[in-house]
Amino acid sequence: DGGITQSPKYLFRKEGQNVTLSCEQNLNHDAMYWYRQDPGQGLRLIYYSQIVNDFQKGDIAEGYSVSREKKESFPLTVTSAQKNPTAFYLCASSPSTGPNQPQHFGDGTRLSIL
Amino acid sequence: AQSVTQLGSHVSVSEGALVLLRCNYSSSVPPYLFWYVQYPNQGLQLLLKYTSAATLVKGINGFEAEFKKSETSFHLTKPSAHMSDAAEYFCAVSGLQGAQKLVFGQGTRLTINP
C-alpha cells in the first residue's frame, strides 16, 4: 500500500545533540511538509519542499534543517539550537503544492528531552 | 492576520446524538477548506474538502460540512455519533497565505458518552 512512513515512532534527545527524523513516501508526490504539533496549538509548518533539491522555510523554521535529495525522502534535523524540541512531529505529502491539494500524513514521531 | 478558529477545544455528545464541530475562517479571497481527523498517536486523515464545486460537502464516516460564505464558516456535522468517532478534529484552510500553506485551527477533541 502507498503511504508515508515516519521513523522512529519515539525519539529522545540529549542536551546539545542533533537528531534526525526520517520521512519516506511511496505515493510519487512532488510536495512534502514537516509540521510540529503541540497540545492545544494545532499544527505549525516547519519546512516544505515543492520539488527535489528545493525547500522553503515555514512559520517556525528556527532550530530545524531539512534536505530533499530524493523525491521520496524528506528528513528533518532538530538541532541543538531548538531550545524547546519536545513535540509530536508530522510529515505530510501532496501531489503538488496547489491550494486544493489535500495532504497525506504519516503517523508521526514523538520527540522528548532526556 | 488571516486565521482559522475552531470554537470549543472539547465537545462531548452522547452516542447517537448530533455532532456539530464549528470552524470559522478569515479570508479576503475564496478559500479551500479541509477537515481532518486524528486518532491518538497517529497522523491526520482527510475527512472532506471544499473546493468551490458545492457548498455541502460529504466526507467519509458519515460526516459532512457546509460552506457558508456570508458567515465565513465551515462547520462539520454528523447526524448520529458513534463511539468510534472519538478523536481530535482539525479544520484547515489554504489559499490564504500562499498556495503551499495549510493553516490549521487549534483542534477540537470529541468525546462520545455511552
Side-chain angles (χ1 to χ4, degrees):
Chain A
D1 286 341
I4 299 176
T5 301
Q6 291 188 241
S7 62
K9 192 169 181 65
Y10 299 95
L11 187 59
F12 297 90
R13 195 190 89 169
K14 296 180 181 179
E15 291 287 340
Q17 184 181 44
N18 293 352
V19 292
T20 297
L21 285 60
S22 172
C23 177
E24 302 278 333
Q25 55 101 355
N26 60 4
L27 299 167
N28 199 33
H29 285 173
D30 286 324
M32 298 187 74
Y33 313 80
W34 274 105
Y35 292 92
R36 171 179 171 139
Q37 184 177 18
D38 295 281
Q41 295 192 41
L43 278 70
R44 292 180 290 170
L45 183 65
I46 304 173
Y47 269 98
Y48 64 97
S49 169
Q50 301 176 76
I51 198 169
V52 175
N53 293 323
D54 183 61
F55 49 83
Q56 286 80 40
K57 293 181 178 180
D59 299 318
I60 56 165
E62 185 175 353
Y64 301 97
S65 66
V66 294
S67 63
R68 186 87 187 276
E69 297 177 0
K70 298 186 295 183
K71 185 176 184 178
E72 60 269 26
S73 179
F74 192 41
L76 173 74
T77 296
V78 184
T79 74
S80 57
Q82 173 49 246
K83 298 306 180 187
N84 184 23
T86 297
F88 191 49
Y89 290 87
L90 288 163
C91 179
S93 71
S94 63
S96 71
T97 52
N100 63 339
Q101 296 290 321
Q103 294 179 14
H104 301 252
F105 286 81
D107 281 341
T109 293
R110 190 167 298 280
L111 176 62
S112 302
I113 297 298
L114 282 178
Chain B
Q2 296 161 325
S3 64
V4 175
T5 302
Q6 291 184 239
L7 299 177
S9 58
H10 291 90
V11 170
S12 181
V13 302
S14 298
E15 190 175 17
L18 172 72
V19 175
L20 171 61
L21 304 181
R22 300 177 187 273
C23 173
N24 289 88
Y25 66 92
S26 64
S27 175
S28 58
V29 297
Y32 296 95
L33 294 155
F34 306 84
W35 274 100
Y36 287 87
V37 60
Q38 184 181 34
Y39 298 100
N41 293 313
Q42 293 186 22
L44 277 65
Q45 179 184 1
L46 180 69
L47 276 177
L48 50 82
K49 67 176 181 178
Y50 167 75
T51 57
S52 77
T55 57
L56 183 62
V57 182
K58 294 187 183 298
I60 62 171
N61 301 339
F63 284 93
E64 62 182 35
E66 185 173 9
F67 174 70
K68 291 187 177 181
K69 183 178 178 181
S70 60
E71 299 177 8
T72 60
S73 69
F74 190 55
H75 301 331
L76 182 70
T77 61
K78 182 174 181 178
S80 178
H82 191 273
M83 295 299 292
S84 62
D85 294 326
E88 188 147 21
Y89 292 80
F90 292 93
C91 180
V93 59
S94 69
L96 295 182
Q97 299 175 352
Q100 302 88 349
K101 294 185 179 181
L102 274 181
V103 176
F104 286 86
Q106 300 91 333
T108 297
R109 183 168 300 278
L110 177 64
T111 301
I112 311 296
N113 302 313

